[in-house]
């Protein structure tokens, strides 16, 4: 079990853009397609089941993180300078879990884009050595791929309308989080949200990043993802507007 959780001797390899990696990406793409195709049925799910669905999502996401951190603590390898849940993906996941418990609609409208800003780039460039014989492979899939699918599902389940104003709030929130973490990293010598440097495997792939200040890349990447997500929600917004015109 120790090897399963800590992967001290990498077994079944995880190859960047190998079959397993591409398969994980395809699962998300297919999941998004299915959610979109079934959007009307999702919207019509009886409201009596909404809390059950959201609590089930919360249980999966929360249990995933408890097992992840619990295993590190149990085997004595937990290091607060590396393992605090302060990476953007984990922060977005935590905020999403808070929404699932509270049902605060204003919270979801701001954090919905955030559930993609961190996980989407990480989906293409995961820092993994092993796959099916390593717990973190499953933890990574749940906290990134599944998080995005859950978030997109909720968009239709609760029939949200995400506006440009909401996207601007997300942009501001994202920058506030980054600034706070930059200060935290400066004080404690950590590197959460990669504000002081990129992972070694990323630099090996793209050596020019050695000469670029990380916040610039992260800011541009965040803006790009926000634009992509706005295109996604704009599809729903246009459909909703057409429906309003027909029914009015």
């Amino acid at each position: 079990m120790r090897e399963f959780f800590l992967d001290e001797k990498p077994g079944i390899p995880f190859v960047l853009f190998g079959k397993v990696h591409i398969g994980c990406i395809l699962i998300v793409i297919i999941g998004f397609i299915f959610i979109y195709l079934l959007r009307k049925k999702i919207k019509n799910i009886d409201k009596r089941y909404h809390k059950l669905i959201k609590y089930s999502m919360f249980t999966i996401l929360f249990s995933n993180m408890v097992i992840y951190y619990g295993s590190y603590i149990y085997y004595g390898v937990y290091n607060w300078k590396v393992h605090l849940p302060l990476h953007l993906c984990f922060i977005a996941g935590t905020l999403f879990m808070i929404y699932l418990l509270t049902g605060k609609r204003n919270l979801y409208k701001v954090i919905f884009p955030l559930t993609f800003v961190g996980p989407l780039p990480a989906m293409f460039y995961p820092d993994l050595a092993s796959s099916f014989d390593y717990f973190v492979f499953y933890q990574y899939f749940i906290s990134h791929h599944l998080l995005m699918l859950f978030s997109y599902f909720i968009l239709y389940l609760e029939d949200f309308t995400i506006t440009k104003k909401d996207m601007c709030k997300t942009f501001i929130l994202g920058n506030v989080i980054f600034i706070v973490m930059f200060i935290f990293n400066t004080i404690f010598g950590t590197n959460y949200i990669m504000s002081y440097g990129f992972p070694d495997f990323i630099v090996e792939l793209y050596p020019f990043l050695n000469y670029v200040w990380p916040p610039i890349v992260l800011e541009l990447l965040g803006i790009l993802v926000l634009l992509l997500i706005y295109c996604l929600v704009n599809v729903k917004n246009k459909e909703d507007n057409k429906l309003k015109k027909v029914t009015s």
Side-chain angles (χ1 to χ4, degrees), residues 166-180:
D166 296 322
M167 300 293 287
C168 289
K169 289 180 180 178
T170 303
F171 179 75
I172 294 171
L173 175 62
N175 277 279
V176 169
I177 291 172
F178 186 82
I179 291 170
V180 170

Side-chain angles (χ1 to χ4, degrees), residues 15-57:
V15 180
L16 198 64
F17 297 110
K19 291 180 180 179
V20 175
H21 187 192
I22 292 175
C24 291
I25 294 172
L26 287 176
I27 288 173
V28 173
I29 294 172
I30 293 170
F32 268 83
I33 292 172
F34 267 102
I35 291 172
Y36 179 74
L37 293 176
L38 298 173
R39 63 194 183 283
K40 292 181 181 178
K41 291 184 177 180
I42 294 172
K43 280 185 179 182
N44 292 326
I45 292 176
D46 195 310
K47 290 190 179 296
R48 291 178 297 175
Y49 301 112
H50 284 207
K51 279 192 175 181
L52 176 61
I53 293 171
K54 289 190 286 186
Y55 288 168
S56 298
M57 290 179 176

Side-chain angles (χ1 to χ4, degrees), residues 184-195:
F184 183 93
N185 291 332
T186 302
I187 295 173
F188 296 105
T190 52
N191 188 35
Y192 291 108
I193 315 187
M194 299 181 292
S195 61

Side-chain angles (χ1 to χ4, degrees), residues 202-236:
I202 292 291
V203 176
E204 288 178 9
L205 286 171
Y206 306 106
F208 70 89
L209 291 176
N210 276 312
Y211 310 100
V212 181
W213 193 40
I216 294 176
V217 177
L218 297 172
E219 187 80 10
L220 292 175
L221 189 59
I223 292 172
L224 176 61
V225 175
L226 285 176
L227 291 174
L228 290 173
I229 298 309
Y230 183 72
C231 291
L232 184 70
V233 299
N234 201 38
V235 171
K236 182 179 183 301

